Amino acid sequence: MERLLLPALLALAAFCCSGAAESLENDSEPGKSDAPGKPWKVPSPEELDLNTAGGGAEWTSWFNIDHPGGDGDYESLDAIRFYYRGRVCARPVAIQARTTEWELPQDVGEVVHFSPKKGFRCVNKEQPHGKTCSNYHIRFLCPLEHIFWSHWSSWSPCSRSACGSSGTQSRRRRCVNAQAVSALKELKCRGKAVERRPCSTGPCPEPMWTEWGAWGPCSRSCGSTGTRVRRRSCQNARKLLCAGHPSEVQQCPPTPCPACPEHTLQGAVVSATGAALPGARVYLEGRPPTLLARSDTRGAFRVPGLCVSIGANVSAHRDGFAPGLTSVVSNGSGALVAHIVLQKLEKPYMVLHPTPKVRVAGQEVTFCCKASGTPVPKKYYWYQNGTLLDRTAHRYSSRLVLRALTPEQAGSYHCKASTEAGAIRSAPAQLTVLAQGQQSCKAAPEPSLVELPAECHRDAGASRYYDVGHCPSTPCAGSPADGQRCGAGARRCCGVRRMEMREIRCGGSVLPIKVVAKCGCGPCAQPRVLVQGRVTAADTGEPLRFGQIFLGKKKIGFTGFQGSFTIEVPPDTQRLVARFVDRQQRLVDAVKVLPFDRRGGAVYQEVKMMRKKEAVELDAGQTNAIPLGEASGREPIAELVIPAGAFLRPSGEVFGGTVKASVTFLDPRDMATARAASSDLSFANADGEIVPLRTYGMFAVDFRDGESGTALQTGPVEVRMDAGQIGMAEHLRKMKLWSLNPETGLWEEEGVLRPTEERRGRREERTFLVGNMEIRERRLFNLDVPEDRRCFVKVRAYSNEKFNPYEQLEGVVISLINLEPQPGFPANPRAWGRFDSVVTGPNGACLPAFCDARRPDAYTAYITATLGGEELEAVPSSPKLNPNAVGVSQPYLNKLGYRRLDHDDPDIKKTAFQVNVAKPDPNNIDETNGPIYPYRSLRECEEAPVSANHFRFYRVEVDKYEYNVVPFKESDLTSWTGDYLSWWPNPQEFRACFIKVRIEGPQEYMVRSRNEGGSHPRTVGQLYGLRDARSVRDAMREGSSGACLEFKCSGMLYDQSLVDRTLVSVIPQGSCRRTAVNGLLRDYLARHPPVADANNTAAFTMLAPVDPLGHNYGIYTVTDQNPRLAKEIAIGRCFDGTSDGFSREMKSDAGTAVTFTCQERPAGRESFFQRLLTSPAEALDEIRREMGAGELRRAPPEVLDFASGVRALSPAPPPRTPGSRRRMGRVRAQQ
């Protein structure tokens, strides 16, 4: 091969780029079609900066694998690679072709196609008449260093299109690697990726007036004198204005109005769904508009004697609807008709929020927001740190552009959109402005501690923690080209740039560990953001099978057979609103605001749906009263009163037959209904801020024709609420009636409930709150009070009850239910008022709650935590309350009244606690450090240090340990590092593998899996990680326990190039001998070489299977976007011993891979497990001696037995249920 550097490349440019060259990617299959491919310009070698990496490029040898017989001459790159293997690089950058007579294709007049990606072809039928293809040989140009610049792009449009202004235009190129590498690996080429040059569109022409337009129509069609206007416009008025006025006005003489007794305008006013709208005001457009009529109960109107022409504009106006406009048309029989459709007023809702930005001083930045609604919002306001920005100074609309940034412009930015229907605020976006030369990502990593195995001690204090370093995933400064982009552009984040291998002495052996050595900016990790869960009926737990799922108006899918669902969260979503619909109409539609982890991964959510109440028959000709909340012998909270004649057909016609009415009421006096509540009980106030509501009950209505089953509407109906059911007197004057917008998940005001006194019986006088409404569509209605006594509650979750700050759990769903206490019985709530859920981040979670400063027990809260369906445990409050464990200091803790659910009854589960939400007193220093924060102190709550007061949950995992050579925090997917020794090779998808081990012995035993590279050349013999798990007693089998032990799955490593068969060693603690191996697993391993060497009888070793085997093999594999959820599902299946079931009760005899028999060892004798920890060299020698001794003997076909010398088992201790170590909520059983 000849060496070719840049000077030689320049001479080849003409050769490579001449001839009839077309891209093979655009061509049809050779010989199958006469359609020519799209023209393609062959890359010029002089445009490829192959000296970027200092190595230039070189040509391969010439190849000729085909001869021009048959259809032509085909020199395919794939075929050349098949015959010549590594003779051609992975990504050639140029190609040459010559005939065997050393002539160019154009010299012999032949049509050819060639591409460095595909190769060369010459098709006989494409040649001139009478000619066939010559015999060609080709060669490829390969960069020596594999890194080079791509071609320059075309110059961008000039940044300033206005005349008389100068701007810039740019072109770009990419740093390219000729080898296949990870997408997350950053390439570095010398030189600039962007070039800029000045540009201009030229000077502006002089301004001048256009000709006058025609005179417009007279403002009065008849009767009095009117005016008319003609207009002209100023052209080219960029900097100077035209002299004079743009319009002229003159009077037009009056004309007598004709009488039109034979003319009649008729029409109807309806909603977007076709429902008749009575009481609408109909106007003839003009100056001013003329009121013509009002629509009747059917939405119809009729105006006799009106002289209007076809095409005249008529409008309609009605409270709660946006004005509608239409033109008068003829119905073909001479009558004039106007059909007006009104859109229901919808409060604006933010669909695009501004995103956080990092910029260097002097750059520019663009923030964007967008709101939808009816009418579409056109007024936008921008705020910096809560202060309105001057519109004239910044000239903003829905886009805010800040140029020549200074450090003073850093801060929080948000926008507000408003219409006559209301206003809405966006989420705030933080702008960080760095000084020139300031680094947004520090090279030195932050401290991050990981726990080492039990046999490792780092210092005299017996610390088992090691600092592996951590790079915070903060955004890096954007490039100047990102200044005018709404989004973040090509996002770059702080991350790991270099890792180093360290070795730790552990019990006489060396434990490898990788630590972060350097941080730097690079491409941001972009894991998928998912919400997964299960939808069931709130009363029976029946799954919603194949129910519809909507995001906004768009249907995105269905639930599964078991009610399971997965929703991928769209980018830049701030509030995920999903609607679940039962197609069989047995359950009421559920609108849920689902929490999710913005940093990636899946959050598990249980969704409950109310069962629709059985319909009752009503006589539409009579007044009907339907009680709301009369169940369980309680007094109804309210009643729905429907007057006679109030039922309407969609056309507006009064319905007079039998009505089947289903009114489903969600009663907050029943604690079990809290999780079935729709939405998050929030509304947008007049300032556009989303604020909470306190509910007194919500109800869904469904009225249908008793014969045909068609849906019915109602005119004005009355809601009467019993004031005696309201325990807080201040709520009486604030009670309102609301309806839920299913697309935004926000409640919208329908009316105010006003007090009225009525006499019931001779002496009883009662107060009712009465409000009116119309039911024109199927919505959920609510009796709510806006509550301004608001606080935030700080909660953290930990991996164990040591509560170490560096062992906090992220991705935990914390739920808070606000309770109203029964007077005199603070621990016995009478009703719930609100339900909220928040996902924990690296600094815990802040949950909104109602609070009171005067009465500590005015509001109480019930708080739970779940992770992947598993309920975490709360800190106990009895027999003695420990403030250090709870996380809140005294005396504030006594004021909050912390009580875990099992405080009085130890049989109640320990996964929730209840507190008084007492608003902190700013004058009391004991109450200024959390865990309750005033509503305006959200940022203080979110940024509170771990030393500040907070409530705690923890996982009960005392008998489980995980160690990874490459550290990774499973609750923070952005902490993933691409490395050959990474336990999880792909941050987009996580595959969890478990092996089920059966232990026959008198107690429970620790079992370890040691996972090493088994077949990949880069990792063979190197440690991936360790996993320890304690076996769980089988309650049904005396002397038997089982362990579900994780091991590293076989498969592609992070570079996705080669498969590694993980070498897995399973080693139980104690005097244990392997006595059986699952026959199917043994046969599978034998049929899929390589096979691990013969095993020592005290352990089990295998090269892990690549295929996802099932329970018949004792192997359990689950793939999910959340590593914790994947493991929880796999463990549930492993406990159950099935491939699709779920259990937390160990069934040791079902779906087992390997069996060990363990016995009590003589006093003073170490187990093999302990010898492996303390003297690994001697233990490994023992394995080698036993491997050579040939102790294995063949058993019946399905089981492999080993001599064990087991004595009779002693009576087993009382079985310990897994519930004492792990408590699970309902977790989906299928993928």
Side-chain angles (χ1 to χ4, degrees):
M1 297 176 71
E2 53 185 301
R3 176 83 172 220
L4 181 65
L5 295 179
L6 187 59
L9 286 174
L10 300 179
L12 292 167
F15 169 75
C16 280
C17 296
S18 60
E22 300 180 24
S23 171
L24 290 180
E25 294 90 328
N26 294 329
D27 287 340
S28 57
E29 186 180 348
K32 300 292 185 182
S33 172
D34 294 327
K38 298 180 181 178
W40 177 77
K41 180 178 180 294
V42 180
S44 170
E46 66 180 331
E47 295 178 3
L48 300 172
D49 191 357
L50 298 172
N51 274 334
T52 299
E58 62 184 5
W59 290 101
T60 64
S61 57
W62 293 95
F63 302 103
N64 187 358
I65 62 171
D66 190 25
H67 295 281
D71 293 336
D73 190 14
Y74 294 86
E75 307 291 340
S76 165
L77 178 56
D78 289 339
I80 292 172
R81 284 203 173 106
F82 177 80
Y83 289 112
Y84 294 98
R85 298 295 177 186
R87 298 275 293 276
V88 182
C89 58
R91 296 184 182 177
V93 296
I95 183 175
Q96 280 188 342
R98 289 181 182 267
T99 68
T100 52
E101 302 299 325
W102 212 246
E103 295 176 299
L104 296 175
Q106 62 267 32
D107 293 341
V108 296
E110 294 177 2
V111 178
V112 298
H113 308 262
F114 52 91
S115 161
K117 293 182 180 180
K118 298 291 186 179
F120 170 95
R121 78 169 185 266
C122 177
V123 183
N124 284 333
K125 65 181 181 180
E126 295 180 352
Q127 306 311 314
H129 183 68
K131 284 186 64 70
T132 58
C133 293
S134 302
N135 189 12
Y136 286 89
H137 54 193
I138 64 172
R139 65 176 182 173
F140 298 91
L141 183 65
C142 291
L144 292 179
E145 296 294 332
H146 310 296
I147 299 176
F148 55 89
W149 287 112
S150 68
H151 310 298
W152 284 107
S153 66
S154 302
W155 287 102
S156 67
C158 192
S159 62
R160 295 289 185 269
S161 58
C163 62
S165 61
S166 59
T168 59
Q169 56 182 170
S170 61
R171 63 176 184 172
R172 301 172 181 275
R173 57 181 177 175
R174 293 183 301 106
C175 188
V176 181
N177 195 328
Q179 293 182 339
V181 297
S182 168
L184 297 178
K185 186 173 182 180
E186 185 178 16
L187 305 178
K188 293 184 178 179
C189 295
R190 290 199 294 267
K192 295 182 178 180
V194 181
E195 277 190 355
R196 292 180 174 79
R197 68 183 183 185
C199 57
S200 173
T201 57
C204 295
E206 292 295 325
M208 59 182 296
W209 289 111
T210 61
E211 295 293 330
W212 284 106
W215 287 103
C218 190
S219 61
R220 298 286 183 180
S221 59
C222 63
S224 60
T225 301
T227 59
R228 60 180 181 175
V229 181
R230 69 173 183 174
R231 304 179 187 277
R232 61 179 178 175
S233 60
C234 185
Q235 291 183 332
N236 308 323
R238 293 292 182 180
K239 296 182 178 180
L240 298 177
L241 298 178
C242 299
H245 298 285
S247 63
E248 283 185 351
V249 181
Q250 70 173 200
Q251 288 187 342
C252 46
T255 58
C257 292
C260 303
E262 73 282 2
H263 286 193
T264 298
L265 174 66
Q266 59 189 17
V269 183
V270 298
S271 69
T273 59
L277 295 178
R281 303 178 299 278
V282 181
Y283 291 86
L284 175 64
E285 288 296 293
R287 297 184 181 180
T290 303
L291 178 62
L292 300 178
R294 290 180 181 269
S295 58
D296 61 18
T297 56
R298 297 189 180 186
F301 63 90
R302 188 171 183 273
V303 186
L306 180 67
C307 291
V308 294
S309 58
I310 294 176
N313 290 329
V314 178
S315 64
H317 302 254
R318 190 178 190 267
D319 293 343
F321 289 82
L325 182 71
T326 190
S327 297
V328 175
V329 297
S330 174
N331 64 359
S333 61
L336 299 179
V337 178
H339 186 79
I340 309 173
V341 178
L342 300 187
Q343 300 285 341
K344 186 177 178 64
L345 276 181
E346 290 188 357
K347 285 193 173 184
Y349 181 70
M350 202 62 64
V351 295
L352 175 64
H353 296 261
T355 56
K357 303 289 180 71
V358 179
R359 293 290 185 269
V360 177
Q363 291 182 341
E364 70 177 60
V365 68
T366 300
F367 289 111
C368 298
C369 70
K370 182 181 179 182
S372 65
T374 304
V376 177
K378 295 182 180 178
K379 292 182 180 179
Y380 289 88
Y381 306 88
W382 284 94
Y383 297 79
Q384 179 192 10
N385 298 327
T387 302
L388 179 64
L389 297 177
D390 185 357
R391 184 188 300 273
T392 57
H394 293 88
R395 297 183 180 180
Y396 59 71
S397 57
S398 60
R399 294 168 59 100
L400 172 67
V401 180
L402 304 175
R403 297 182 174 86
L405 287 171
T406 62
E408 292 74 23
Q409 291 178 286
S412 176
Y413 288 80
H414 76 268
C415 79
K416 182 175 76 173
S418 67
T419 65
E420 61 257 40
I424 190 67
R425 285 187 188 182
S426 72
Q430 194 70 22
L431 173 63
T432 303
V433 181
L434 305 174
Q436 293 287 344
Q438 180 182 356
Q439 296 296 319
S440 54
C441 179
K442 296 181 180 179
E446 296 180 356
S448 178
L449 301 180
V450 297
E451 185 179 4
L452 299 176
E455 61 271 20
C456 298
H457 300 292
R458 295 296 307 146
D459 51 41
S463 172
R464 288 174 53 195
Y465 293 92
Y466 192 84
D467 185 3
V468 296
H470 167 68
C471 298
S473 57
T474 53
C476 292
S479 66
D482 294 333
Q484 295 186 356
R485 293 179 180 172
C486 286
R491 296 184 57 201
R492 292 168 59 80
C493 297
C494 187
V496 177
R497 298 276 73 83
R498 181 165 56 87
M499 300 190 77
E500 294 178 353
M501 181 69 83
R502 306 277 176 83
E503 293 183 343
I504 302 173
R505 304 295 300 179
C506 290
S509 64
V510 174
L511 183 70
I513 189 169
K514 284 202 168 186
V515 300
V516 178
K518 183 180 180 181
C519 300
C521 290
C524 295
Q526 295 181 335
R528 298 169 66 194
V529 181
L530 301 173
V531 174
Q532 298 174 326
R534 190 163 177 256
V535 188
T536 57
D539 53 353
T540 63
E542 173 191 358
L544 175 65
R545 293 190 169 101
F546 311 117
Q548 297 174 322
I549 306 174
F550 292 83
L551 291 185
K553 296 180 180 179
K554 182 180 180 182
K555 183 171 70 176
I556 61 168
F558 299 88
T559 59
F561 182 77
Q562 294 296 333
S564 59
F565 68 90
T566 298
I567 298 174
E568 183 161 2
V569 182
D572 300 325
T573 297
Q574 295 290 329
R575 196 165 180 269
L576 182 64
V577 180
R579 179 162 56 101
F580 300 89
V581 178
D582 179 12
R583 294 191 294 175
Q584 299 181 13
Q585 294 299 307
R586 296 171 305 169
L587 304 174
V588 178
D589 294 358
V591 178
K592 296 291 184 179
V593 180
L594 301 175
F596 59 93
D597 192 343
R598 303 181 191 281
R599 293 159 306 152
V603 170
Y604 186 84
Q605 190 76 8
E606 284 281 349
V607 175
K608 301 294 184 182
M609 297 180 71
M610 292 190 299
R611 186 172 299 280
K612 184 179 293 186
K613 191 172 181 179
E614 187 174 350
V616 297
E617 292 188 350
L618 304 178
D619 184 352
Q622 297 182 0
T623 298
N624 296 278
I626 302 175
L628 304 176
E630 81 284 9
S632 304
R634 297 187 178 112
E635 284 286 325
I637 288 179
E639 63 180 5
L640 181 64
V641 180
I642 307 173
F647 288 105
L648 306 173
R649 298 187 186 275
S651 63
E653 178 186 357
V654 175
F655 178 78
T658 300
V659 178
K660 285 193 173 180
S662 171
V663 179
T664 307
F665 186 74
L666 186 143
D667 194 337
R669 296 173 298 182
D670 182 358
M671 284 291 297
T673 63
R675 295 185 180 274
S678 275
S679 181
D680 58 356
L681 289 170
S682 298
F683 77 105
N685 64 13
D687 197 38
E689 183 181 6
I690 295 180
V691 291
L693 293 168
R694 189 267 191 237
T695 187
Y696 281 88
M698 55 185 71
F699 60 97
V701 299
D702 187 12
F703 300 135
R704 296 188 177 273
D705 183 339
E707 294 183 359
S708 66
T710 57
L712 299 175
Q713 304 171 356
T714 74
V717 298
E718 200 174 70
V719 177
R720 304 169 61 85
M721 186 174 183
D722 184 358
Q725 297 292 334
I726 302 175
M728 307 184 80
E730 59 269 30
H731 286 177
L732 288 172
R733 55 184 174 82
K734 298 192 296 182
M735 188 68 63
K736 295 183 179 181
L737 184 64
W738 308 76
S739 67
L740 179 62
N741 186 325
E743 296 173 13
T744 66
L746 294 175
W747 294 89
E748 299 175 356
E749 185 178 334
E750 289 283 339
V752 178
L753 273 67
R754 305 188 186 281
T756 180
E757 293 187 356
E758 292 186 7
R759 184 176 296 276
R760 295 256 177 132
R762 293 185 177 181
R763 297 184 179 179
E764 183 184 10
E765 215 175 66
R766 298 174 65 179
T767 300
F768 288 86
L769 300 179
V770 180
N772 295 305
M773 59 182 285
E774 292 183 354
I775 303 175
R776 297 285 176 174
E777 53 186 327
R778 285 174 55 195
R779 277 197 175 191
L780 190 64
F781 299 95
N782 204 348
L783 301 167
D784 276 12
V785 173
E787 181 59 88
D788 53 6
R789 292 177 294 180
R790 296 169 280 163
C791 291
F792 284 98
V793 181
K794 184 73 172 190
V795 182
R796 299 178 189 269
Y798 295 85
S799 60
N800 54 58
E801 53 188 326
K802 297 177 183 177
F803 305 121
N804 290 318
Y806 39 82
E807 292 183 317
Q808 292 190 65
L809 294 175
E810 302 175 41
V812 176
V813 179
I814 311 292
S815 298
L816 183 149
I817 303 176
N818 261 114
L819 309 174
E820 179 192 347
Q822 179 79 26
F825 299 93
N828 182 23
R830 72 178 258 152
W832 62 269
R834 181 174 175 79
F835 181 92
D836 282 283
S837 295
V838 177
V839 177
T840 58
N843 200 35
C846 294
L847 290 97
F850 297 144
C851 59
D852 193 86
R854 292 171 296 178
R855 285 180 50 200
D857 63 344
Y859 279 114
T860 60
Y862 174 92
I863 304 176
T864 62
T866 59
L867 177 63
E870 173 192 354
E871 294 181 320
L872 304 192
E873 196 159 297
V875 177
S877 58
S878 64
K880 183 178 179 180
L881 185 64
N882 183 354
N884 292 329
V886 175
V888 181
S889 59
Q890 293 285 24
Y892 196 21
L893 182 59
N894 283 338
K895 183 178 179 180
L896 298 178
Y898 178 91
R899 293 167 67 92
R900 195 169 73 174
L901 255 61
D902 66 339
H903 184 86
D904 297 316
D905 185 354
D907 292 332
I908 297 178
K909 63 181 183 179
K910 307 171 177 60
T911 55
F913 64 85
Q914 187 172 317
V915 292
N916 300 326
V917 191
K919 188 173 183 178
D921 181 358
N923 299 317
N924 187 340
I925 192 171
D926 294 326
E927 300 181 11
T928 58
N929 195 32
I932 312 296
Y933 293 84
Y935 190 74
R936 298 298 176 186
S937 301
L938 174 59
R939 187 167 182 178
E940 180 184 346
C941 177
E942 292 177 335
E943 298 177 356
V946 72
S947 58
N949 289 334
H950 60 271
F951 295 114
R952 294 169 172 171
F953 287 93
Y954 63 94
R955 292 187 87 187
V956 186
E957 290 287 5
V958 295
D959 295 333
K960 180 179 177 182
Y961 173 74
E962 299 178 357
Y963 172 79
N964 297 323
V965 171
V966 179
F968 172 58
K969 196 172 183 179
E970 291 178 351
S971 59
D972 180 10
L973 302 189
T974 61
S975 66
W976 180 86
T977 303
D979 192 280
Y980 283 100
L981 295 178
S982 294
W983 184 276
W984 306 99
N986 184 355
Q988 300 283 349
E989 192 174 69
F990 297 89
R991 187 181 178 202
C993 295
F994 283 78
I995 183 172
K996 189 169 184 177
V997 181
R998 179 178 175 180
I999 304 290
E1000 298 291 346
Q1003 60 185 25
E1004 297 173 341
Y1005 296 85
M1006 290 296 293
V1007 185
R1008 167 170 289 184
S1009 74
R1010 182 180 177 88
N1011 302 267
E1012 300 177 350
S1015 60
H1016 196 288
R1018 295 291 297 268
T1019 63
V1020 63
Q1022 298 187 60
L1023 183 67
Y1024 290 117
L1026 308 173
R1027 296 292 187 268
D1028 292 346
R1030 182 177 293 278
S1031 64
V1032 177
R1033 178 69 61 191
D1034 187 336
M1036 305 302 294
R1037 298 178 61 84
E1038 186 175 341
S1040 179
S1041 62
C1044 292
L1045 187 63
E1046 185 185 8
F1047 64 90
K1048 186 185 183 304
C1049 304
S1050 294
M1052 294 283 190
L1053 300 186
Y1054 93 102
D1055 63 357
Q1056 301 294 303
S1057 62
L1058 292 176
V1059 170
D1060 181 47
R1061 293 278 300 277
T1062 309
L1063 180 62
V1064 181
S1065 299
V1066 177
I1067 310 161
Q1069 182 185 22
S1071 298
C1072 302
R1073 298 180 68 84
R1074 175 165 41 82
T1075 54
V1077 174
N1078 183 295
L1080 292 177
L1081 177 61
R1082 180 197 64 223
D1083 294 343
Y1084 175 91
L1085 297 175
R1087 293 196 310 270
H1088 294 79
V1091 178
D1093 293 336
N1095 294 299
N1096 175 267
T1097 57
F1100 171 70
T1101 304
M1102 68 173 179
L1103 284 168
V1106 177
D1107 299 316
L1109 306 181
H1111 68 284
N1112 290 331
Y1113 298 80
I1115 303 295
Y1116 302 86
T1117 305
V1118 173
T1119 301
D1120 196 273
Q1121 284 72 30
N1122 185 308
R1124 290 189 180 277
L1125 191 56
K1127 291 201 278 191
E1128 292 298 335
I1129 296 171
I1131 290 173
R1133 295 175 180 177
C1134 178
F1135 267 66
D1136 194 53
T1138 62
S1139 294
D1140 57 359
F1142 190 90
S1143 176
R1144 275 295 174 257
E1145 299 295 329
M1146 175 58 71
K1147 302 173 183 176
S1148 62
D1149 60 338
T1152 300
V1154 59
T1155 301
F1156 289 90
T1157 299
C1158 302
Q1159 54 189 347
E1160 296 299 323
R1161 61 182 179 276
R1165 180 182 175 186
E1166 290 183 323
S1167 68
F1168 177 77
F1169 184 87
Q1170 291 173 322
R1171 295 200 302 277
L1172 185 66
L1173 301 182
T1174 57
S1175 303
E1178 291 80 355
L1180 293 175
D1181 286 341
E1182 180 182 340
I1183 291 179
R1184 296 188 185 96
R1185 288 195 301 271
E1186 293 200 19
M1187 286 167 52
E1191 292 184 6
L1192 304 183
R1193 62 183 178 86
R1194 180 67 64 179
E1198 291 300 321
V1199 181
L1200 187 64
D1201 288 339
F1202 298 87
S1204 59
V1206 180
R1207 61 178 173 82
L1209 296 178
S1210 58
R1216 181 175 64 172
T1217 65
S1220 63
R1221 295 167 41 244
R1222 178 196 300 267
R1223 292 165 180 83
M1224 292 295 299
R1226 187 182 298 274
V1227 179
R1228 63 176 187 178
Q1230 293 185 359
Q1231 287 290 309

